């Protein structure tokens, strides 16, 4: 494969496209597919055939506004339809070239205003199982450029210059990580893509893998070239069957086109990727536990150092990055590190994909430049809280993050700003809560999650989460005293300070952040035996007088 | 490598000491008779850093570090005891006690238990954290030994000794979080285990009364894990 051949594939794909007058893209991400968007696609295809319009009906990945699904995007007009049913096929096809079907208007308002697509640039435009469509949109240009024009050091320099930081939550500078692994001597090195997305309410990685898997593969191949690895693994949860299936097809397609395998693009570089399925343990998102899991052992973390960069998979130097991190790599190489660093804030560059869920008008997947305020995302893009209720808090960072109240809505999103506010970026879940949510119950929910997901290796996390959960339950039931609150605070401190891995260290965060901003709710449960939101059934213990 | 470059000088609790570069803070401290409490650590077995009792403060580090796995470094300033660390350790100890049914007065290992000794050493006078009282099984199917999960602290010493020293790999861990249990084979009764060699090493390394010999109680339960470092050295000499 060389540049000419790549261009030829792109030209062929374009030629295929030019044969048609219209393109009807049907979203077949998990959300829309659960509403039978596959049948909608078939119905539209059948309809188009029978009426003789030159129309290409394509399956695509998640288009973003999941709440309006099943979504259909008609090109070249750029018309979007929402809540499409099988019966709408006829109207959609007959409207091609004419006025759009008014009743199918998804009413997205300002959903796309302020969004900026880097990771999701191909979403809605390509079939995730066709590598040629990815190539037609500039795919694998970056890999070819890296292999033929750049040295590994130059690749790392571009990544460092871009200011890209780990999108899995920690925010470790990606360039620095690559540089560390590149400098470690070792005959065998590995690249691992962490797709063990387990935060409640998060579906960014799943959507990326479902809608544009080639992008992740290309990112991994570039990383492998930069650090000198020949073997890669994608660790993805088995609970994401569609993502696994699309990735499996994508890997096969990439091999067929020679983007994976031996002597890639007629160079000396060889690299291949295998899939490993996670068996449903949240802790396996922690890098050392993930490595243990790939090795076939119990998925428990181990103390670091040694870091995986030095001693990772089977004791060899290993690079682990998140799905979204790898997905950012090809555009950085294509446009240069400076282009990427021109987006975002001083210390958080580029864009971030968020999964907007909870009590919000327009649930869905969004990608915004770093530095946008929470208010813009929740009220601008998301359309605010539905049913005339009042906004109460937004939870970011999953079980490791925290709940931010209204006074923090004007916070610009960046790794550091979120941490100083008592939450964290996390992988990008954003759960909006209105005034019907009880913050003690929310904290209890996340504590229950940490308790059941604790691997049981170190005692502060294993036993501490149980104790904290019990105390929170006691508070919810209106049976707690101020003494219990003190004990809860102390447990938060100890578990956070002494646990072995990130799961335990951050498990107290939902409690600490709700204690910081919603202490009055805790006190109402304790002193007045009353749940301000009316969620908990506070039943004060009946005092028995002898 | 010259002898000099292999030596690291550091201070532990203000005392200046020298250590070999490949030593951990714990090894260096113990060589100089400086006490750091441990539970999952045992001389002769690999480290897991799970009990968190040996956490120490290292100047410049963002978090407390487990002394059992942290290598010494030149100029390191280590604090093994201060009010904060002591408070954390006592609380972790309380978590251990409250987690399962650790009631010393009715335990076979009473007087010979590392968990009990730790409580005494660290001055833990009572457990404020509510006991969980889980209902856990006791497996007495083995002719000589018994495993009482009510007294297990999940230190995994039995798992490690069985794998690393005996090579039988009979012991393992199942479940996760508070539901974790040490098991023999695929949770078969110990007496029916086909891999167990009945060597009894697991019993000797168990810090509490979770693993014990059937005909012994009280003062006779004294465990003798001292054979481990000896065995290690002898085996390494053979290679």
């Amino acid at each position: 494969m060389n540049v000419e051949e790549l261009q030829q594939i792109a030209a062929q794909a374009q030629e295929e496209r030019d044969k048609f007058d219209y393109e009807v893209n049907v979203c077949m991400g998990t959300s829309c597919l659960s509403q039978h968007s596959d049948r909608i696609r078939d119905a539209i295809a059948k309809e188009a055939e029978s009426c003789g319009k030159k129309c290409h009906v394509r399956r695509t990945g998640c288009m973003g506004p999941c709440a309006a699904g099943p979504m259909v995007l008609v090109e070249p007009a750029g018309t979007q339809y929402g809540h499409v049913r099988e019966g709408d096929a006829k109207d959609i096809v007959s409207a091609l070239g004419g006025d759009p079907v008014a009743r199918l208007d998804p009413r997205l308002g300002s959903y796309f205003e302020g969004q900026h697509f880097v990771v999701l640039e191909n979403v809605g435009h390509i079939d995730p199982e066709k590598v040629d469509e990815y190539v037609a949109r500039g795919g694998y240009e970056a890999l070819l450029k890296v292999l033929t024009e750049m040295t590994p050091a130059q690749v790392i320099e571009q990544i460092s210059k871009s200011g890209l930081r780990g999108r899995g939550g920690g925010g470790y500078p990606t360039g620095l990580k690559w540089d560390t692994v590149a400098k470690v001597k070792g005959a065998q090195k590995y690249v691992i893509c962490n797709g063990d997305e387990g935060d409640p309410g998060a579906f960014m990685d799943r959507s990326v893998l479902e809608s544009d898997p080639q992008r992740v593969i290309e990112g991994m191949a570039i990383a492998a070239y930069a650090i000198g690895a020949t073997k890669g693994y994608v660790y993805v949860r088995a609970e994401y069957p569609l993502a696994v299936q699309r990735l499996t097809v994508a890997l096969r397609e990439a091999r067929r086109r020679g983007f994976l395998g031996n002597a890639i693009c007629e160079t000396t570089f060889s690299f291949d990727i295998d899939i490993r399925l996670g068996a449903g343990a949240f802790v396996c998102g922690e890098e050392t536990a993930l490595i243990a899991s790939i090795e076939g052992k119990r998925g428990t973390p181990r103390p670091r150092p040694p870091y995986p960069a030095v001693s990772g998979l089977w004791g060899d130097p290993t690079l682990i990055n998140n799905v979204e991190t790898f997905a950012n790599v090809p555009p950085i190489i294509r446009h240069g590190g400076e282009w990427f660093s021109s987006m975002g804030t001083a210390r958080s560059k580029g864009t971030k994909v968020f999964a907007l869920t909870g009590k919000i008008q327009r649930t869905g997947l969004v990608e915004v430049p770093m530095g946008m305020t929470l208010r813009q995302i929740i009220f601008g893009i998301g359309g605010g809280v539905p049913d005339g209720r009042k906004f109460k808090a937004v939870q970011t960072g999953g079980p490791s993050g925290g709940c931010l109240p209204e006074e923090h809505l004007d916070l610009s999103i960046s790794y550091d700003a979120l941490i100083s506010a008592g939450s964290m970026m996390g992988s990008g879940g954003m759960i909006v809560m209105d005034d019907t949510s009880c913050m003690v119950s929310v904290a209890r929910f996340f504590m229950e999650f940490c308790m059941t997901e604790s691997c049981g290796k170190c005692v502060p996390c294993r036993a501490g989460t149980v104790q904290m959960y019990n105390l929170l339950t006691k508070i919810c039931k209106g049976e707690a005293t101020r003494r219990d609150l003190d004990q809860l605070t102390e447990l938060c401190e100890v578990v956070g300070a002494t646990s072995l891995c990130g799961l335990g260290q951050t498990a107290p965060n939902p409690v600490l952040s709700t204690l910081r901003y919603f202490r009055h709710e805790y006190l109402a449960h304790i002193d007045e035996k009353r749940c301000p939101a009316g969620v908990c059934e506070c039943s004060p213990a009946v005092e028995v007088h002898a | 490598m010259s002898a000099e470059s292999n030596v690291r000088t550091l201070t532990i609790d203000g005392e200046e000491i020298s250590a070999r570069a490949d030593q951990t803070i714990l090894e260096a401290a113990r060589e100089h008779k400086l006490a750091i409490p441990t539970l999952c650590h045992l001389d002769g077995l690999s480290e897991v850093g799970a009990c968190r009792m040996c956490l120490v403060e290292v100047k410049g580090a963002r978090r407390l570090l487990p002394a059992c796995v942290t290598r010494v470094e030149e100029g390191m300033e280590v604090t093994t005891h201060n009010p904060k660390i002591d408070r954390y350790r006592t609380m972790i100890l309380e978590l251990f006690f409250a987690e399962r049914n650790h009631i010393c007065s009715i335990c076979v290992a009473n007087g010979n238990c590392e968990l009990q000794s730790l409580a005494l050493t660290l001055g833990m006078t009572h457990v404020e954290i509510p006991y969980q009282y889980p209902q856990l099984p006791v497996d007495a199917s083995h002719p000589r030994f018994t495993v009482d999960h009510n007294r297990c602290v999940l230190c995994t010493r039995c798992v490690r000794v069985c794998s690393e020293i005996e090579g039988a790999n009979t012991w393992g861990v199942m479940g996760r979080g508070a539901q974790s249990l040490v098991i023999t084979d695929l949770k078969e009764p110990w007496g029916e285990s086909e891999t167990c060699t009945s060597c009894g090493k697991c019993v000797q390394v168990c810090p509490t009364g979770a693993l014990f010999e059937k005909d012994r109680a009280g003062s006779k339960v004294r465990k003798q894990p001292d054979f481990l470092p000896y065995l290690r050295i002898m085996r390494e000499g053979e290679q």
Side-chain angles (χ1 to χ4, degrees):
Chain A
M1 176 83 51
N2 53 38
V3 183
E4 286 75 41
E5 283 170 331
L6 198 69
Q7 282 165 348
Q8 210 182 334
I9 297 175
Q12 269 171 6
Q14 191 57 46
E15 224 169 87
E16 281 296 308
R17 283 194 159 178
D18 291 343
K19 284 186 195 159
F20 299 100
D21 295 332
Y22 311 100
E23 281 180 4
V24 179
N25 299 297
V26 183
C27 174
M28 282 173 68
T30 293
S31 174
C32 291
L33 202 54
S34 68
Q35 298 182 62
H36 307 295
S37 58
D38 49 343
R39 290 189 208 156
I40 298 169
R41 179 199 57 178
D42 296 345
I44 295 175
K46 205 169 144 195
E47 198 60 44
E49 209 170 302
S50 65
C51 78
K53 283 192 180 172
K54 282 185 195 165
C55 168
H56 179 55
V57 184
R58 180 191 287 122
R59 135 187 72 187
T60 73
C62 179
M63 295 183 189
C66 302
M71 287 289 298
V72 170
L73 168 70
V74 180
E75 295 283 17
T79 316
Q80 283 171 321
Y81 294 125
H83 302 294
V84 179
R85 297 279 167 266
E86 257 181 280
D88 299 324
K90 193 171 180 156
D91 290 348
I92 290 175
V93 173
S94 53
L96 290 173
D99 289 332
V101 189
R103 71 183 154 82
L104 294 176
D105 182 4
R107 280 186 280 279
L108 293 173
S110 50
Y111 187 82
F112 288 101
E113 267 172 43
Q115 289 208 53
H116 187 81
F117 294 126
V118 174
V119 171
L120 306 178
E121 62 183 344
N122 291 338
V123 161
H125 299 286
I126 62 164
D127 183 330
E129 294 191 5
K130 293 195 173 141
V131 63
D132 292 358
E133 294 198 0
Y134 176 67
V135 172
R137 288 184 65 90
Y140 287 106
E141 246 175 55
L143 179 65
L144 208 64
K145 180 174 168 186
V146 158
L147 293 182
T148 53
E149 295 169 26
M150 294 167 85
T151 64
Q154 284 171 328
V155 177
I156 293 171
E157 195 194 319
Q158 285 303 318
I159 300 294
S160 301
K161 213 186 264 180
S162 74
L164 177 65
R165 291 169 70 177
R167 294 291 192 249
Y172 191 80
T174 307
L176 196 59
K177 201 182 222 176
W178 288 24
D179 193 41
T180 314
V181 190
K183 280 181 181 153
V184 177
K185 286 198 173 66
Q188 176 72 57
K189 292 182 187 177
Y190 296 99
V191 174
I192 297 176
C193 174
N194 185 347
D196 192 54
E197 178 178 61
D199 296 4
F203 47 86
M204 299 75 54
D205 295 350
R206 189 197 74 203
S207 295
V208 172
L209 286 174
E210 279 175 8
S211 42
D212 202 357
Q214 294 293 348
R215 161 180 301 271
V216 180
I217 297 171
E218 187 181 1
M220 287 179 74
I222 293 169
Y225 173 75
I227 65 157
T230 54
K231 178 86 204 161
Y233 290 95
V234 182
Y235 190 90
V236 54
R237 326 174 56 189
E239 292 93 328
Y240 286 173
L242 188 63
V244 174
Q245 181 213 320
R246 298 232 166 116
L247 191 63
T248 311
V249 174
L251 287 172
R252 198 172 63 216
E253 288 283 288
R255 279 187 207 112
R256 181 175 66 83
R257 279 293 183 199
F259 297 123
L260 286 177
N262 288 326
I264 295 172
C265 303
E266 293 155 17
T267 64
T268 54
F269 174 66
S270 300
F271 179 66
D272 210 341
I273 298 174
D274 266 344
I275 300 176
R276 286 289 177 274
L277 298 186
F282 178 67
V283 76
C284 285
E286 199 278 344
E287 54 183 20
T288 57
L290 188 151
I291 288 174
S293 178
I294 292 184
E295 288 174 351
K297 298 176 188 153
R298 244 173 94 77
T300 57
R302 60 160 177 79
R304 297 175 301 180
Y307 286 90
V310 178
S311 175
L313 191 59
W314 290 299
D316 291 319
T318 303
L319 172 79
I320 301 191
N321 276 138
N322 171 265
V323 170
E324 197 185 326
T325 314
F326 282 124
N328 269 303
V329 169
I332 290 176
I333 298 296
R334 272 206 306 272
H335 308 298
E338 270 154 24
W339 162 82
F340 192 80
S341 71
S342 68
M343 293 179 285
T345 67
R347 299 195 54 226
S348 301
K349 301 295 186 190
T351 59
K352 179 79 193 82
V353 182
F354 288 102
L356 268 182
T357 57
K359 299 288 176 59
I360 191 154
Q361 201 89 297
R362 296 191 279 266
T363 304
L365 196 72
V366 302
E367 182 171 2
V368 295
M370 296 273 194
M372 192 179 247
T373 65
L374 285 168
R375 191 185 297 280
Q376 281 172 300
I377 299 177
I378 296 164
F379 288 90
I381 295 171
V385 178
D387 307 328
R389 311 279 339 178
K390 202 173 164 307
F391 171 87
K392 189 178 211 171
V394 56
Q395 211 280 348
T396 67
S400 311
C403 300
L404 300 176
E406 193 159 11
E407 63 252 40
H408 278 296
L409 273 180
D410 290 311
L411 188 87
S412 308
I413 288 189
S414 70
Y415 290 97
D416 316 287
L418 281 168
I419 283 175
S420 60
S423 185
M424 67 183 278
M425 180 80 82
S427 54
M430 206 174 261
I431 305 171
V432 180
M433 298 168 211
D434 65 9
D435 52 4
T436 58
S437 294
C438 163
M439 300 317 283
V440 187
S441 300
V442 169
R444 179 168 165 261
F445 167 80
F446 282 107
M447 191 53 74
E448 184 181 11
F449 182 84
C450 291
M451 175 178 80
T452 48
E453 291 299 335
S454 165
C455 75
K457 182 170 179 174
C458 76
V459 67
C461 176
R462 179 181 76 223
T465 51
V466 176
Q467 297 287 356
M468 288 193 282
Y469 172 74
N470 288 348
L471 284 169
L472 287 164
T473 306
K474 219 169 149 186
I475 296 174
C476 284
K477 283 187 178 166
E479 293 166 1
T481 60
R482 291 273 185 142
R483 177 79 197 80
D484 290 319
L485 191 62
D486 292 342
Q487 194 169 53
L488 178 66
T489 318
E490 207 185 341
L491 274 166
C492 283
E493 186 195 342
V494 174
V495 173
T498 63
S499 290
L500 195 159
C501 80
L503 196 161
Q505 287 164 9
T506 58
N509 284 0
V511 181
L512 290 172
S513 71
T514 46
L515 268 174
R516 181 166 156 189
Y517 297 118
F518 301 95
R519 197 180 177 82
H520 53 277
E521 291 199 20
Y522 281 83
L523 295 181
H525 284 82
I526 293 168
D527 296 340
E528 301 162 35
K529 314 289 178 205
R530 172 179 78 80
C531 175
V535 174
C536 307
E537 281 180 34
C538 293
S539 49
V542 183
E543 280 180 44
V544 181
H545 295 284
Chain B
M1 191 183 280
S2 69
E4 263 178 3
S5 68
N6 204 18
V7 175
R8 300 285 181 273
T9 314
L10 64 155
T11 58
I12 299 183
D13 294 333
E15 190 176 323
E16 195 162 87
I17 63 166
S18 321
R20 286 198 319 275
D22 62 348
Q23 280 184 311
T24 62
I25 296 175
L26 182 68
E27 287 168 334
R30 293 216 164 148
E31 241 177 50
H32 291 80
K33 306 271 181 258
L34 296 164
I36 298 176
T38 55
L39 187 59
C40 65
H41 162 87
L42 188 66
D43 282 341
L45 293 183
S46 64
E47 303 290 1
V48 286
C51 74
R52 317 309 281 171
M53 295 306 297
C54 70
L55 286 176
V56 293
E57 212 170 76
V58 175
K59 201 176 171 188
R62 282 192 306 130
R63 307 189 58 88
L64 299 175
L65 299 174
C68 64
V69 291
T70 310
R71 302 251 168 246
V72 294
E73 274 168 40
E74 186 63 35
M76 222 178 205
E77 289 177 42
V78 181
T79 310
T80 66
H81 289 274
N82 65 25
K84 190 178 82 183
I85 302 177
D86 290 344
R87 187 163 59 85
Y88 286 177
R89 285 189 186 138
T90 317
M91 191 126 189
I92 295 173
L93 212 49
E94 283 189 40
L95 285 170
F96 267 123
F97 271 89
E99 183 186 20
R100 294 197 173 176
N101 301 308
H102 294 285
I103 301 157
C104 299
S105 55
I106 53 156
C107 178
V108 283
N110 190 5
N112 291 298
C113 168
E114 288 184 41
L115 187 67
Q116 194 181 29
S117 313
L118 271 177
L120 286 173
T121 322
L122 298 179
M124 189 191 90
T125 51
H126 60 290
V127 179
E128 264 183 65
I129 294 172
Y131 262 62
Q132 296 300 301
Y133 300 116
Q135 296 212 339
L136 293 167
V138 177
D139 177 4
S141 59
H142 193 280
R144 284 170 54 205
F145 313 121
T146 304
V147 52
D148 181 353
H149 294 286
N150 296 288
R151 282 147 190 170
C152 175
V153 289
L154 293 167
C155 66
T156 67
R157 281 188 191 177
C158 52
V159 179
R160 284 175 281 156
V161 80
C162 194
S163 153
E164 295 165 17
I165 306 295
E166 181 62 10
N169 287 301
T170 303
W171 287 104
V173 185
M174 66 162 272
R176 64 184 180 210
Q179 270 70 50
S180 302
L181 279 188
V182 290
I183 48 165
T184 41
D185 291 343
L186 295 171
K187 213 191 172 209
E188 273 114 10
W190 195 358
E192 290 168 27
S193 165
E194 286 180 10
T195 57
C196 177
T197 61
S198 300
C199 71
K201 290 190 180 72
C202 51
V203 175
Q204 294 307 321
V205 299
C206 175
T208 67
L211 299 179
F212 58 93
E213 287 187 68
K214 277 184 171 168
D215 53 349
R216 295 185 186 193
S219 59
K220 285 184 182 160
V221 175
R222 184 173 299 271
K223 301 194 172 171
Q224 283 158 346
D226 315 349
F227 66 94
L228 277 175
Y230 173 74
L231 217 61
R232 264 271 147 92
I233 292 166
M234 293 306 285
R235 283 185 184 176
E236 274 161 20
E238 277 173 19
Q239 280 167 7

